[in-house]
Amino acid sequence: MTFEVKNLSCCRSGREVFSGLDFTLTPSELLTVTGVNGSGKSSLLRLLAGFLRPSSGAMLWDGAPIAEDREVFGARTAYVGHLDAVKSALTVEENLAFWAHFDGSAVGDTRVQLALQRVDLVAQANLPAGFLSAGQKRRLNLARLVAKPASLWLLDEPTAALDDKSSGTVADIIQEHCAQGGMAVVTTHQDLGIEAAQSLDMNDYRPESALGPNLELVS
């Protein structure tokens, strides 16, 4: 099981965000992605998840282009972006169960309960998600990773809005995923306290013209 990115480039609104990006992930490897705001971290994850199309380059799973069967590739990945995909009218448990069974997978209820325990939301299980704090909503969103196993995790600033204790829990969950043979690409502005197999600085891949004297692109 290998995930390869070769000479990847991205353009947004007619402007090149980054180019010439390469990396290879194998089981149990974590790639951390850093860079200033606007350097393309979020755009990179959206490309990897298939939400955007690269302007050039290739993304391969075991040597085969993921574009040949995005549905199969999508089933192998779990993406958690900046926005929390939480339905306010549903309870915490109902939200998690929805995502766990979203693609028709037969995920047992015990997996949902385990996820609630892992992110310390058992006491809020029957509470409408609209009553959760920003940090609790973030934890609920991340609980999907436990409830619905996937080979490749794509996580955009997973510890944003979390306190130190919850950030530590997220780091533990990522470590456990990789220890069990999973792969992860994580963007971050802070030290997660995890020894990454690889690191990537997006500042190294953006064109010199990306920033003016006092301007930053928005990724």
Side-chain angles (χ1 to χ4, degrees):
M1 183 173 64
T2 304
F3 181 49
E4 298 175 84
V5 169
K6 295 184 176 181
N7 198 32
L8 199 67
S9 298
C10 174
C11 289
R12 302 290 301 275
S13 300
R15 288 199 265 183
E16 188 174 67
V17 181
F18 61 81
S19 64
L21 192 150
D22 298 272
F23 67 82
T24 299
L25 280 181
T26 58
S28 298
E29 287 194 328
L30 163 67
L31 169 67
T32 56
V33 181
T34 59
V36 299
N37 290 338
S39 59
K41 299 186 300 296
S42 295
S43 294
L44 172 61
L45 286 194
R46 293 184 188 119
L47 282 174
L48 300 182
F51 302 147
L52 298 176
R53 291 187 179 276
S55 54
S56 64
M59 295 179 286
L60 311 172
W61 187 273
D62 285 341
I66 66 171
E68 290 182 356
D69 198 335
R70 289 194 175 276
E71 185 174 346
V72 170
F73 179 73
R76 295 175 176 139
T77 62
Y79 170 84
V80 177
H82 283 158
L83 299 178
D84 295 324
V86 173
K87 295 183 180 295
S88 299
L90 298 181
T91 68
V92 169
E93 185 172 354
E94 287 169 344
N95 266 277
L96 192 52
F98 169 81
W99 282 111
H101 300 281
F102 180 72
D103 62 355
S105 299
V107 178
D109 291 337
T110 54
R111 193 83 193 181
V112 172
Q113 294 303 316
L114 173 63
L116 290 171
Q117 293 173 12
R118 201 69 183 83
V119 299
D120 195 23
L121 286 176
V122 174
Q124 292 80 22
N126 296 315
L127 186 71
F131 289 96
L132 298 180
S133 68
Q136 288 173 325
K137 288 180 180 177
R138 189 63 175 163
R139 280 151 50 198
L140 173 57
N141 206 32
L142 291 163
R144 292 192 280 128
L145 300 171
V146 179
K148 180 70 177 302
S151 299
L152 174 64
W153 289 1
L154 306 171
L155 312 181
D156 201 354
E157 297 286 350
T159 57
L162 297 182
D163 57 25
D164 290 344
K165 179 182 177 182
S166 296
S167 294
T169 297
V170 171
D172 289 343
I173 290 173
I174 295 171
Q175 283 184 304
E176 291 165 7
H177 170 67
C178 291
Q180 294 166 5
M183 300 180 289
V185 180
V186 181
T187 70
T188 182
H189 279 295
Q190 64 188 70
D191 184 2
L192 297 175
I194 307 174
E195 184 177 351
Q198 301 182 55
S199 61
L200 188 154
D201 187 343
M202 295 300 295
N203 299 321
D204 296 335
Y205 297 93
R206 59 181 183 160
E208 293 183 2
S209 60
L211 294 181
N214 296 300
L215 297 176
E216 286 190 350
L217 291 177
V218 177
S219 62

